[in-house]
Amino acid sequence: GAVVSQHPSRVICKSGTSVKIECRSLDFQATTMFWYRQFPKKSLMLMATSNEGSKATYEQGVEKDKFLINHASLTLSTLTVTSAHPEDSSFYICSARDAGTGELFFGEGSRLTVL
Amino acid sequence: SQQGEEDPQALSIQEGENATMNCSYKTSINNLQWYRQNSGRGLVHLILIRSNEREKHSGRLRVTLDTSKKSSSLLITASRAADTASYFCATTLGYSGAGSYQLTFGKGTKLSVIP
């Protein structure tokens, strides 16, 4: 089946640095990708919807200047956490919608720890 | 607002028993999906039921949907230790436009199957 690859799976960074997380659709084109954040033992919260070639749509309460999303190609979306702080530590998950079938596939997630 | 609410929040059963998890939602939907998440991992799509369907089966999984009560249930029969995971329902809203492709997740049920 279709695979969505997220990289890195784990990242530890110092407070104040920026971290980029990649979400790639490996064998299908994804015009739409979604970024979620999951706190420990909690559900997934949609952060933003990323459409190829256009600006991302952010959910209420999500700072777009802090969580920069770029969807420059049909197979890659990136989430950059800028000037990370310990409260940004979380599990970030992306999903990608197959442009052909409409199916939605999830990445394995990226665990960010900000020291 | 939180669209999906699962109950129970945690469920512990013996191997071989059936596990039933419930999900309620608030607005009209296009479809409802159930996902599984092993600890610290991404989501695995289990089953999708459309708003005009009442019951669906897939292997040991049985999903029901009652749109009048805005609720769904996931039944796992003859549970196995490997079924231990968190289970989430997610809804796709019932209106057209970019928002219709977004998934809204419930809080999840943590299932523990004791060997």
Side-chain angles (χ1 to χ4, degrees):
Chain A
V3 176
V4 172
S5 171
Q6 261 188 260
H7 178 80
S9 58
R10 291 179 181 272
V11 57
I12 300 172
C13 70
K14 292 182 179 180
S15 187
T17 60
S18 294
V19 174
K20 181 185 283 188
I21 301 170
E22 294 185 347
C23 179
R24 291 182 185 272
S25 56
L26 296 186
D27 56 4
F28 64 96
Q29 293 185 332
T31 51
T32 305
M33 291 186 175
F34 302 93
W35 287 96
Y36 299 85
R37 182 174 182 176
Q38 185 179 31
F39 292 101
K41 299 182 181 180
K42 298 292 185 181
S43 185
L44 283 74
M45 298 298 296
L46 179 65
M47 297 175 65
T49 302
S50 169
N51 294 299
E52 187 266 338
S54 64
K55 291 183 179 180
T57 303
Y58 289 82
E59 295 301 301
Q60 193 172 9
V62 178
E63 300 176 60
K64 55 184 173 184
D65 293 333
K66 178 157 193 65
F67 299 100
L68 299 179
I69 291 172
N70 183 280
H71 192 162
S73 80
L74 287 172
T75 60
L76 175 64
S77 176
T78 60
L79 168 68
T80 301
V81 183
T82 62
S83 186
H85 291 282
E87 57 265 30
D88 298 325
S89 297
S90 193
F91 194 55
Y92 294 88
I93 301 177
C94 75
S95 66
R97 182 172 298 281
D98 187 323
T101 66
E103 288 180 271
L104 191 66
F105 301 95
F106 282 81
E108 284 287 302
S110 300
R111 182 164 301 285
L112 170 64
T113 302
V114 184
L115 302 177
Chain B
S1 61
Q2 186 71 28
Q3 172 73 328
E5 300 276 345
E6 288 95 335
D7 79 88
Q9 291 187 4
L11 179 62
S12 184
I13 58 174
Q14 295 287 332
E15 199 167 31
E17 293 181 339
N18 295 341
T20 300
M21 291 161 270
N22 302 298
C23 167
S24 60
Y25 56 92
K26 297 176 182 174
T27 62
S28 63
I29 60 172
N30 271 339
N31 61 61
L32 186 144
Q33 302 176 51
W34 284 92
Y35 288 85
R36 169 197 168 122
Q37 183 183 35
N38 285 31
S39 180
R41 303 295 296 276
L43 277 78
V44 174
H45 180 260
L46 294 177
I47 196 165
L48 178 151
I49 187 166
R50 302 193 185 283
S51 60
N52 61 352
E53 296 176 313
R54 293 296 167 258
E55 188 171 311
K56 211 163 181 181
H57 297 256
S58 177
R60 293 184 296 115
L61 306 180
R62 173 177 168 256
V63 169
T64 63
L65 179 65
D66 187 334
T67 52
S68 65
K69 295 180 179 179
K70 292 186 170 58
S71 67
S72 173
S73 68
L74 170 67
L75 168 68
I76 304 175
T77 60
S79 64
R80 304 167 183 168
D83 295 329
T84 295
S86 290
Y87 292 83
F88 295 91
C89 70
T91 54
T92 306
L93 299 182
Y95 63 88
S96 60
S100 67
Y101 289 119
Q102 295 173 0
L103 287 176
T104 304
F105 284 85
K107 295 178 180 177
T109 294
K110 186 174 174 61
L111 173 67
S112 298
V113 181
I114 303 167

